[in-house]
Amino acid sequence: ETYTKDWFKNKQHLVALQQLLEAIDMDIKNVKFNDDLLRSLEGKKLLADIVQKKNQFTAKDGTEVDETVNDVIRFKHIPVDAQV
């Protein structure tokens, strides 16, 4: 059910990934997702905002759960001459 919603049909789930790849000078159309890609991300520098969101839900056993989730948004490229 979740994967048939407009959010997935309109490929909104890929927006953050595209922003991340652009921030590290990679093109989403030319990226093959494998271990080599993950290794190549090590040491890459970028800017991003980390926001905390409150998440409330009812667990399968009926208990109410409150949790805080960190979400990374607004990825931005850092020019080489500005990197420390």
Side-chain angles (χ1 to χ4, degrees):
E1 176 182 278
T2 303
Y3 297 107
T4 61
K5 294 185 178 180
D6 287 341
W7 194 74
F8 285 96
K9 287 181 183 177
N10 295 333
K11 300 190 184 240
Q12 291 295 302
H13 62 291
L14 297 175
V15 170
L17 175 62
Q18 183 172 358
Q19 290 171 349
L20 169 66
L21 293 174
E22 286 174 2
I24 56 174
D25 294 325
M26 292 182 143
D27 182 7
I28 195 168
K29 294 177 183 174
N30 297 324
V31 171
K32 183 175 180 180
F33 292 91
N34 57 25
D35 291 339
D36 293 332
L37 171 69
L38 296 177
R39 275 191 226 89
S40 75
L41 296 178
E42 186 176 354
K44 296 278 186 175
K45 296 180 182 179
L46 57 102
L47 292 174
D49 293 327
I50 300 173
V51 294
Q52 290 189 329
K53 296 181 180 180
K54 300 277 186 201
N55 192 12
Q56 298 176 330
F57 61 94
T58 305
K60 289 182 181 180
D61 64 2
T63 59
E64 294 294 320
V65 177
D66 291 325
E67 66 180 11
T68 303
V69 178
N70 292 329
D71 196 10
V72 182
I73 58 173
R74 293 187 283 274
F75 297 100
K76 295 194 172 127
H77 175 75
I78 302 175
V80 174
D81 60 344
Q83 294 182 15
V84 178

